[in-house]
Amino acid sequence: MATKTLEELLQKYEKYKAMNLKLNMSRGKPCQEQLNLSMGMMETLNSWTVLSCEDGFDCRNYGVLGGIEECKRLLGDIIEVPAKNIIIYGNSSLHIMYECISRAMTHGVMGSTPWSKLPKVKWLCPVPGYDRHFAITEYFGIEMINVPMTSEGPDMDMIEDLVSKDDTIKGIWCVPKYSNPDGTTYSNMTVKRFANLKPKAKDFRIYWDNAYSVHHLYDDKQDFLLEILDECRKAGNPDIVYKFTSTSKISFPGSGIAALATSDNNIEEIKKQMNISTIGYDKVNQLRHVRFFRDLNGIQEQMKRHASILRPKFELVEKILDKELSEQSEASWTKPHGGYFISLEVPGVAKEVVKRCKDCGVELTPAGSAYPYHNDPNNSNIRIAPSFPSILDLETATKILCLSVKIEYALKNKK
Amino acid sequence: MATKTLEELLQKYEKYKAMNLKLNMSRGKPCQEQLNLSMGMMETLNSWTVLSCEDGFDCRNYGVLGGIEECKRLLGDIIEVPAKNIIIYGNSSLHIMYECISRAMTHGVMGSTPWSKLPKVKWLCPVPGYDRHFAITEYFGIEMINVPMTSEGPDMDMIEDLVSKDDTIKGIWCVPKYSNPDGTTYSNMTVKRFANLKPKAKDFRIYWDNAYSVHHLYDDKQDFLLEILDECRKAGNPDIVYKFTSTSKISFPGSGIAALATSDNNIEEIKKQMNISTIGYDKVNQLRHVRFFRDLNGIQEQMKRHASILRPKFELVEKILDKELSEQSEASWTKPHGGYFISLEVPGVAKEVVKRCKDCGVELTPAGSAYPYHNDPNNSNIRIAPSFPSILDLETATKILCLSVKIEYALKNKK
């Protein structure tokens, strides 16, 4: 019976293969309809527009190191931080994170020994997590330690224990809201425990990548995240966190605005470096964003339009997973309320499934990507990015994914 | 007689002081009229524009790490380098230089020991030079060695001698055309000698900041600079140079496009790092520049318009210096054919002159800025930046500067 089913599955698979498909669910890229939502931004500034910011400074010229006030306010509103605790950079929050670690390597953190002078630096990595985070720490030769995710966020018992004992642990990667890839939002208790961490290393920092702060899929089902800077301040731990955000998935990926939010002391330290590394970032683009979105309300309206494009895609994938894999007891998947990913857990067969999909023209994020060193100990996690393909392509791709899961488990169970 | 003259000079100075002026000749900032030249760029892209580059890629989305082809070609044309040897970054060439040194500190250069692991790293600094260059090397704790400038460029005998003997010397700052601050363009022989350097350190790199490649003041008096990448290739030394450029003083300072040009091997190494540090730079702004300027001809037309605004300012300053200081035998100054600065040499009194100007409401670049550690051994160099003030302000400011020079020499000679 099982063999017959496998044969049927393989026949179906061959039919898909013969279609010579080329579908991509590998990266969290907005689709064309989403990009079109921001095209009005191209006309926000015209040749007769006065390109001065509210304090009168001509945004076309050199200067204004940390960003113009109204843009700091806008991004501050998005992540619930006062403008004075915001630094606006270029187009990439990932690059800010890279630069923070690079600076710590060469100059330490607030007077600590530069990490490049230390025999060993370690980092905590909630898993599954974001591959590009892990790539940065790996590039700098930092040893990464897996911390399992729970439904409340990362395992805080383990984190508290490790950081209190080991002063070579200098940081942790966090995507606290609609996390990449499993869509989890850290609970209030998790945020409070982060804010109250007592790390042995004085130069330990929480890298709080708030990439999906306003990226809800539903009006009526939204996750809530406690604001961490405020919690850290209340806990007498104001300098422990760097918080990152960007408009990459609000306006244009690659042509948006990225920012760092942190304590007064951290801002002061970082500005000393910025003053050396640049004369300033692109203020015209800062102005363009402020004039287009105006305020938090404008951002929220835009996010509703994004959600109306993304929601049917997420629901379609979830529907197909429910239908096709409900009897595959090994498999499980997330139904996030926001963010860019659905996380599919298929213990023991993730690599094989991704390869089988690829052979059939469906590209997924490489298996293991959500783990440091691409090493998923259970060979389980597959990250699904439903945003970029069309509804039609998404349907086909997800069906092929489900079919591949069923085939791989059938093959495995046959052995 | 001399005393009487001094009294007269001081009386004149007090009159200026009573005017409560606030004039600024401190930085090489374009003026408003120059910024207006690029306002058309604000309309190059509209809400109905197709924002795809020539290979069909949607510039609004993530991707295309090294920049879009047509933008690489445009910036390549400006600095006479093929597109394949160009990487487009964000808005700041200074930030690219910072990142090159930072990368060498943490990762070395093509497999060499990371500089942060070495007991000592040294750098050659042609003087007078650009303060922001020196600030970067100082920030990284690199020991700077002064190399005197000649009318042909830096003292090549000294450079050849030093780099051939000392493998802790890892680089040199160069502004090879219309140099900051003295407007010198390196001679063909100087460029050839750079290309043929045989440094003891295999990870030595020439930091060739070609900031003013097309920034001529005259149609009929233009300096010519040999293209260094080509000379290095011919000399069998292809990897020895990083060449930098930007459109900061072509379009908008702070909202332009910056680029690195270097050998295939260097490009390959640097792209490995870029692939970790970012998903890509602002391609919409790259497209905006290409669509606005179209090609090298468009750039050159724009530079003629810049020159027509800048030339009268340079000529005014030179005229006043000629008139007021021709009998002050200690003083000398440059008459550059391009770039952003006039260099005034007043041996023994630079600091005093800058202070006296400041007390009278005229801000100049701090004395010593053109030297590493702000240490001008002859207390001689004052950098004049004529671009930003209006013609009227410039006239007043330059007169106050000349008056201050005369007063300080009179005071000095009195002692």
Side-chain angles (χ1 to χ4, degrees):
Chain A
M1 170 72 183
T3 320
K4 194 185 165 202
T5 308
L6 175 58
E7 257 169 44
E8 281 170 6
L9 295 170
L10 286 170
Q11 271 171 16
K12 209 166 163 188
Y13 178 82
E14 288 306 320
K15 272 188 198 161
Y16 277 122
K17 208 168 170 182
M19 289 164 75
N20 281 316
L21 298 165
K22 212 183 155 187
L23 308 172
N24 195 317
M25 298 200 292
S26 71
R27 304 296 319 177
K29 281 172 74 166
C31 64
Q32 205 182 327
E33 292 77 9
Q34 289 180 270
L35 301 174
N36 289 344
L37 296 177
S38 299
M39 283 307 285
M41 188 178 282
M42 292 295 108
E43 287 179 58
T44 314
L45 307 180
N46 284 295
S47 59
W48 58 85
T49 314
V50 175
L51 295 182
S52 301
C53 50
E54 61 186 21
D55 67 5
F57 197 93
D58 191 334
C59 288
R60 301 171 301 177
N61 222 325
Y62 288 117
V64 190
L65 195 61
I68 62 174
E69 278 306 303
E70 52 264 62
C71 191
K72 288 201 266 181
R73 222 158 46 223
L74 179 67
L75 268 78
D77 283 349
I78 295 176
I79 53 168
E80 304 164 273
V81 171
K84 77 173 176 62
N85 291 106
I86 300 268
I87 296 177
I88 311 279
Y89 284 75
N91 68 326
S92 162
S93 58
L94 193 77
H95 196 274
I96 310 177
M97 300 172 215
Y98 175 93
E99 203 165 275
C100 282
I101 293 186
S102 185
R103 181 181 58 246
M105 293 298 292
T106 56
H107 288 78
V109 179
M110 283 196 187
S112 77
T113 306
W115 298 352
S116 62
K117 306 276 187 207
L118 300 174
K120 170 76 82 181
V121 175
K122 295 181 198 159
W123 207 268
L124 302 182
C125 301
V127 289
Y130 179 31
D131 55 349
R132 288 188 183 272
H133 285 165
F134 304 152
I136 293 176
T137 24
E138 184 173 3
Y139 178 74
F140 283 104
I142 295 172
E143 185 183 317
M144 295 180 277
I145 301 167
N146 291 1
V147 177
M149 283 288 287
T150 74
S151 62
E152 304 247 315
D155 181 337
M156 291 309 297
D157 291 341
M158 182 177 171
I159 292 171
E160 284 164 354
D161 182 54
L162 285 169
V163 303
S164 68
K165 284 193 232 158
D166 186 348
D167 70 355
T168 69
I169 297 175
K170 301 297 190 188
I172 181 167
W173 291 120
C174 295
V175 184
K177 193 165 182 181
Y178 302 136
S179 70
N180 178 349
D182 52 11
T184 304
T185 297
Y186 294 7
S187 70
N188 290 357
M189 184 50 73
T190 297
V191 177
K192 282 177 188 291
R193 287 175 77 177
F194 265 115
N196 283 280
L197 278 183
K198 296 281 173 276
K200 197 168 176 199
K202 293 300 157 227
D203 49 356
F204 175 92
R205 291 291 179 274
I206 302 162
Y207 279 56
W208 196 257
D209 184 2
N210 204 2
Y212 307 111
S213 55
V214 289
H215 301 57
H216 311 288
L217 286 170
Y218 301 94
D219 277 343
D220 54 343
K221 290 184 283 182
Q222 297 191 349
D223 291 0
F224 172 80
L225 176 71
L226 264 191
E227 201 294 293
I228 185 137
L229 259 71
D230 204 34
E231 292 302 317
C232 291
R233 194 183 46 74
K234 288 193 271 179
N237 227 355
D239 302 329
I240 202 173
V241 66
Y242 295 149
K243 183 171 172 177
F244 307 93
T245 193
S246 82
T247 67
S248 292
K249 287 170 181 113
I250 298 174
S251 60
F252 296 124
S255 301
I257 302 287
L260 169 69
T262 191
S263 70
D264 296 344
N265 289 334
N266 286 331
I267 294 261
E268 192 190 330
E269 182 192 26
I270 291 166
K271 279 227 178 140
K272 277 184 203 150
Q273 174 226 351
M274 275 186 97
N275 194 35
I276 303 293
S277 69
T278 186
I279 307 176
Y281 287 92
D282 186 343
K283 296 183 297 300
V284 170
N285 204 31
Q286 293 172 27
L287 203 60
R288 188 178 286 118
H289 277 71
V290 173
R291 300 250 171 110
F292 182 65
F293 289 114
R294 308 181 75 97
D295 55 23
L296 184 58
N297 187 54
I299 296 279
Q300 285 165 338
E301 288 304 311
Q302 174 85 343
M303 295 320 291
K304 281 183 193 171
R305 289 186 285 264
H306 278 293
S308 71
I309 297 168
L310 288 172
R311 193 170 48 242
K313 295 187 175 184
F314 275 75
E315 289 178 344
L316 176 69
V317 172
E318 289 162 12
K319 202 182 84 185
I320 299 172
L321 289 169
D322 284 348
K323 180 163 178 271
E324 299 291 329
L325 296 182
S326 57
E327 290 176 19
Q328 197 77 49
S329 62
E330 306 93 330
S332 62
W333 51 95
T334 58
K335 294 187 176 180
H337 296 163
Y340 264 69
F341 304 103
I342 291 169
S343 201
L344 172 65
E345 296 290 341
V346 283
V349 298
K351 256 186 223 166
E352 293 74 9
V353 168
V354 169
K355 184 175 183 313
R356 185 166 291 276
C357 284
K358 195 176 184 181
D359 293 345
C360 199
V362 177
E363 199 176 337
L364 294 158
T365 316
S369 291
Y371 286 78
Y373 314 110
H374 294 263
N375 179 18
D376 177 353
N378 300 314
N379 186 25
S380 173
N381 184 262
I382 294 177
R383 186 181 79 167
I384 304 173
S387 56
F388 191 72
S390 69
I391 285 276
L392 216 66
D393 285 354
L394 195 61
E395 183 173 357
T396 314
T398 309
K399 283 181 175 170
I400 291 170
L401 170 61
C402 292
L403 182 61
S404 300
V405 169
K406 286 194 263 190
I407 291 172
E408 291 305 329
Y409 274 126
L411 285 169
K412 199 177 174 228
N413 296 333
K414 214 178 109 184
K415 281 175 196 164
Chain B
M1 171 70 185
T3 318
K4 193 185 167 203
T5 309
L6 176 57
E7 258 169 42
E8 282 169 3
L9 294 171
L10 286 170
Q11 272 172 13
K12 209 167 162 188
Y13 178 82
E14 289 305 320
K15 272 187 200 162
Y16 276 122
K17 210 169 171 181
M19 290 164 74
N20 282 316
L21 297 165
K22 211 184 154 186
L23 308 172
N24 195 318
M25 298 199 292
S26 71
R27 304 296 320 176
K29 279 172 76 166
C31 64
Q32 205 182 327
E33 292 78 7
Q34 289 179 271
L35 300 175
N36 290 344
L37 296 176
S38 299
M39 282 307 284
M41 188 178 283
M42 292 296 109
E43 287 178 58
T44 314
L45 307 180
N46 285 295
S47 59
W48 58 85
T49 314
V50 175
L51 295 182
S52 301
C53 51
E54 61 187 21
D55 66 6
F57 197 93
D58 191 334
C59 288
R60 301 170 301 176
N61 222 326
Y62 288 118
V64 191
L65 195 62
I68 62 174
E69 278 306 303
E70 52 264 60
C71 191
K72 289 201 265 180
R73 222 158 47 225
L74 179 68
L75 268 77
D77 283 350
I78 295 176
I79 53 167
E80 304 164 274
V81 171
K84 77 173 176 62
N85 291 106
I86 300 268
I87 296 177
I88 311 280
Y89 284 75
N91 68 326
S92 162
S93 58
L94 193 77
H95 196 274
I96 311 177
M97 299 172 215
Y98 176 93
E99 202 166 276
C100 282
I101 294 186
S102 185
R103 183 180 56 245
M105 293 297 293
T106 56
H107 288 79
V109 179
M110 282 195 189
S112 77
T113 306
W115 298 351
S116 62
K117 306 276 187 206
L118 300 174
K120 170 77 83 182
V121 175
K122 296 182 198 157
W123 207 267
L124 302 182
C125 300
V127 288
Y130 179 31
D131 55 349
R132 288 189 182 270
H133 284 165
F134 304 152
I136 293 176
T137 24
E138 185 173 1
Y139 178 75
F140 283 103
I142 295 172
E143 185 183 317
M144 295 180 278
I145 301 166
N146 291 1
V147 176
M149 283 288 287
T150 74
S151 62
E152 303 247 316
D155 181 336
M156 291 309 297
D157 291 342
M158 182 176 171
I159 291 170
E160 285 164 354
D161 183 54
L162 284 170
V163 303
S164 69
K165 283 193 232 158
D166 186 348
D167 69 356
T168 70
I169 298 175
K170 301 297 190 189
I172 182 168
W173 291 120
C174 295
V175 184
K177 192 164 183 181
Y178 303 136
S179 70
N180 177 350
D182 52 12
T184 304
T185 297
Y186 295 8
S187 71
N188 290 357
M189 184 49 73
T190 298
V191 176
K192 282 177 188 290
R193 287 175 76 177
F194 265 115
N196 282 281
L197 278 183
K198 297 280 173 275
K200 197 167 176 201
K202 293 301 157 226
D203 50 356
F204 175 91
R205 290 290 180 274
I206 302 162
Y207 279 55
W208 196 257
D209 184 1
N210 205 2
Y212 307 110
S213 53
V214 289
H215 301 57
H216 311 288
L217 286 170
Y218 301 93
D219 277 343
D220 55 341
K221 291 185 282 183
Q222 297 191 348
D223 292 0
F224 171 80
L225 175 70
L226 264 190
E227 200 295 293
I228 186 137
L229 259 71
D230 204 35
E231 291 302 316
C232 291
R233 195 183 45 75
K234 287 193 272 180
N237 227 355
D239 302 330
I240 203 173
V241 65
Y242 295 149
K243 183 171 173 177
F244 306 94
T245 193
S246 81
T247 66
S248 293
K249 287 169 181 116
I250 299 173
S251 60
F252 296 125
S255 302
I257 301 287
L260 169 70
T262 191
S263 70
D264 297 343
N265 289 334
N266 286 331
I267 294 261
E268 192 190 330
E269 183 193 25
I270 291 165
K271 280 227 178 140
K272 277 184 203 150
Q273 175 227 349
M274 275 186 97
N275 195 36
I276 303 294
S277 70
T278 185
I279 307 177
Y281 287 92
D282 186 344
K283 296 183 298 298
V284 170
N285 204 30
Q286 294 173 26
L287 203 60
R288 188 179 284 119
H289 277 73
V290 173
R291 300 250 172 110
F292 183 64
F293 289 115
R294 309 182 73 97
D295 54 23
L296 184 58
N297 186 54
I299 297 280
Q300 284 165 339
E301 288 303 312
Q302 174 85 342
M303 295 320 291
K304 281 184 194 170
R305 290 185 285 264
H306 278 293
S308 70
I309 297 168
L310 288 172
R311 195 170 48 242
K313 296 188 175 184
F314 275 76
E315 288 178 344
L316 175 70
V317 172
E318 289 162 12
K319 203 182 83 184
I320 298 172
L321 289 168
D322 284 348
K323 179 163 178 274
E324 298 292 330
L325 296 183
S326 58
E327 288 176 20
Q328 197 76 49
S329 62
E330 304 93 331
S332 62
W333 52 95
T334 58
K335 294 186 176 180
H337 296 164
Y340 264 69
F341 304 103
I342 290 169
S343 202
L344 172 65
E345 296 290 341
V346 283
V349 299
K351 256 186 224 168
E352 293 75 8
V353 168
V354 169
K355 184 176 183 311
R356 185 166 290 277
C357 285
K358 195 176 185 182
D359 293 344
C360 198
V362 177
E363 198 176 338
L364 293 158
T365 315
S369 291
Y371 286 78
Y373 314 108
H374 294 264
N375 178 19
D376 177 353
N378 301 316
N379 186 24
S380 173
N381 183 262
I382 294 177
R383 187 181 79 166
I384 304 171
S387 55
F388 191 72
S390 69
I391 284 277
L392 216 66
D393 285 354
L394 196 62
E395 183 174 357
T396 313
T398 310
K399 283 182 176 170
I400 292 171
L401 170 62
C402 292
L403 182 60
S404 301
V405 169
K406 286 193 263 189
I407 291 172
E408 290 305 331
Y409 274 125
L411 284 169
K412 200 176 175 226
N413 296 333
K414 217 177 107 183
K415 283 174 195 166

